[in-house]
Amino acid sequence: MKGLCLVTDRALCAPRTVEEVVRLAVQGGATSVQLRDKDLPTRAFLETAERLHAFLRPRGVPLIINDRVDIALAVGAEGIHVGQDDLPPEVVRRLAGPGVLVGLSVETWEDVVRAQDQPVDYLGVSPVYGTPTKTDTKGAWGLDGLARIRAFSRHPLVAIGGLHAGTIPGVVQAGADGIAVVSALCAAPDPERAARELAALC
Amino acid sequence: MKGLCLVTDRALCAPRTVEEVVRLAVQGGATSVQLRDKDLPTRAFLETAERLHAFLRPRGVPLIINDRVDIALAVGAEGIHVGQDDLPPEVVRRLAGPGVLVGLSVETWEDVVRAQDQPVDYLGVSPVYGTPTKTDTKGAWGLDGLARIRAFSRHPLVAIGGLHAGTIPGVVQAGADGIAVVSALCAAPDPERAARELAALC
């Protein structure tokens, strides 16, 4: 999970569709896409995932589904990302098998310690900085927290939360393997240009 | 899917837990339980499903999970119920395999016709009567609609929507194989007694 990951937010993408923003961001250099939608009815979520996968797969860009293991299995997504309130990683791994990437958000030090024995492929360090797009987290890690996780954890780390051109260099310096952004791409006036700028910093 | 199916509604069960209402309803004679919750975080949904399954399985009462195929697979539930906005039955069947019951809500005549070629085990005729507990349906079938589906469809029919002691006899007469209720059990002052009364009519 190196490089620049676009995490989708339908409201921030509007009036553009999620598909349109994904297309532009990938053209600009985003190297993975996480489809996240906590409100969409299941059928519409599935159809969005199918459309994204049809675009991403031929380009070798992994599609990661947030939370919904059933939708990930239905479309054959490359990965599944879960938070601490979603299915436990052990259950995700059991349902999805060994060939699917499993990412886990860590919001507390306990989460990080527990993750060392969990069958996950990367940790989402969430949030590095405070962010308006996710309101259910437990406080920001900061660069110190990220560096502390880097020194302790066996996993690749994907940083998320308040990341943009001004903050990404410090986060990479502190040990992030990958950079995930929501607003910096979904709300960008020109997502392709924004992705090009951010990918160069990852 | 004969008999009396309790479809859960967490808000209507309160201040009792869903588990408590399920326990009482099954003691009273409910013969299946559909866990439905569109708002609960995934982990909490999973934990509720696990607790219900631990209670129901030794009693031979099937647990049907609404919408969330991943949770159904995780707990080994006996069935999955989907609506027209959930995963298509073909996808559910592919993910769940042949041994799991798949139920499908039909809200229009087109749904009924399409269902004849879909891999489902029963149809949920929804709603037979108007109901305050489900606001996203397209108009009530009435007894005439139910009888029309009965004459046409190859599937067992589970009626739902506005069913209580006063309406169940007519619905059974019109051809329902099973009766599903939400309010009549979840909001009952004494769910065990209510289930006993309703089960005798099914």
Side-chain angles (χ1 to χ4, degrees):
Chain A
M1 293 302 292
K2 289 174 185 286
L4 178 66
C5 178
L6 162 60
V7 179
T8 67
D9 183 305
R10 192 159 36 96
L12 286 178
C13 289
R16 302 163 298 194
T17 62
V18 166
E19 292 89 326
E20 173 72 359
V21 171
V22 164
R23 186 178 64 77
L24 293 167
V26 167
Q27 285 172 194
T31 54
S32 63
V33 174
Q34 181 188 137
L35 177 60
R36 181 178 191 277
D37 203 311
K38 293 290 189 185
D39 303 314
L40 212 55
T42 303
R43 180 79 61 102
F45 195 147
L46 174 74
E47 291 169 351
T48 303
E50 287 173 335
R51 285 192 294 268
L52 291 184
H53 205 219
F55 172 76
L56 295 171
R57 197 179 181 184
R59 289 166 178 76
V61 175
L63 173 65
I64 315 291
I65 302 292
N66 183 288
D67 180 17
R68 295 292 303 243
V69 175
D70 44 5
I71 289 173
L73 294 174
V75 303
E78 286 72 25
I80 296 162
H81 188 94
V82 287
Q84 299 290 329
D85 290 334
D86 299 329
L87 292 181
E90 295 79 3
V91 173
V92 176
R93 181 62 73 199
R94 176 162 60 81
L95 296 177
V100 171
L101 285 169
V102 176
L104 173 70
S105 291
V106 291
E107 296 175 7
T108 68
W109 189 252
E110 282 179 6
D111 296 344
V112 175
V113 172
R114 197 183 313 110
Q116 301 313 304
D117 298 319
Q118 292 178 312
V120 302
D121 297 295
Y122 70 89
L123 300 184
V125 177
S126 169
V128 176
Y129 297 109
T131 162
T133 59
K134 201 143 188 306
T135 54
D136 58 347
T137 54
K138 289 160 185 151
W141 285 104
L143 292 181
D144 286 355
L146 175 60
R148 192 172 161 224
I149 299 172
R150 178 63 296 155
F152 176 81
S153 180
R154 67 181 179 90
H155 302 97
L157 303 181
V158 176
I160 189 167
L163 303 190
H164 51 70
T167 52
I168 289 173
V171 167
V172 170
Q173 181 72 23
D177 300 283
I179 297 293
V181 298
V182 186
S183 311
L185 289 175
C186 293
D190 183 342
E192 182 172 352
R193 183 176 165 180
R196 189 163 292 122
E197 183 186 18
L198 300 181
L201 301 170
C202 293
Chain B
M1 293 305 292
K2 290 175 184 285
L4 178 66
C5 178
L6 163 61
V7 179
T8 67
D9 183 307
R10 192 158 38 96
L12 286 178
C13 290
R16 302 163 298 194
T17 63
V18 166
E19 292 89 327
E20 173 73 358
V21 171
V22 164
R23 186 177 64 76
L24 293 167
V26 167
Q27 284 173 195
T31 54
S32 64
V33 174
Q34 182 188 137
L35 177 61
R36 181 178 192 277
D37 203 312
K38 294 288 192 186
D39 303 314
L40 212 56
T42 303
R43 180 76 63 100
F45 194 147
L46 174 73
E47 291 168 352
T48 304
E50 287 173 335
R51 284 192 295 267
L52 290 184
H53 205 218
F55 172 76
L56 295 171
R57 197 179 180 184
R59 288 163 178 80
V61 175
L63 173 65
I64 316 291
I65 302 292
N66 183 287
D67 180 18
R68 293 293 302 243
V69 175
D70 44 4
I71 289 173
L73 295 174
V75 303
E78 286 73 24
I80 296 162
H81 188 92
V82 287
Q84 300 290 329
D85 290 335
D86 298 329
L87 292 180
E90 296 79 3
V91 174
V92 176
R93 181 61 73 197
R94 177 162 59 82
L95 296 177
V100 172
L101 286 169
V102 176
L104 174 69
S105 292
V106 290
E107 296 175 7
T108 67
W109 188 252
E110 282 179 6
D111 296 344
V112 175
V113 172
R114 197 183 314 111
Q116 302 312 305
D117 299 319
Q118 291 179 312
V120 302
D121 296 295
Y122 70 90
L123 301 185
V125 178
S126 168
V128 176
Y129 297 110
T131 161
T133 60
K134 201 143 188 305
T135 54
D136 57 347
T137 56
K138 288 159 186 155
W141 285 104
L143 292 181
D144 286 354
L146 175 59
R148 191 171 161 227
I149 300 173
R150 177 63 296 156
F152 176 82
S153 180
R154 67 180 179 91
H155 301 97
L157 304 181
V158 176
I160 189 169
L163 304 189
H164 51 70
T167 53
I168 288 173
V171 167
V172 170
Q173 181 72 25
D177 300 283
I179 297 293
V181 299
V182 186
S183 310
L185 289 174
C186 293
D190 183 343
E192 182 172 353
R193 184 176 165 178
R196 189 164 292 121
E197 183 185 18
L198 300 181
L201 301 170
C202 292

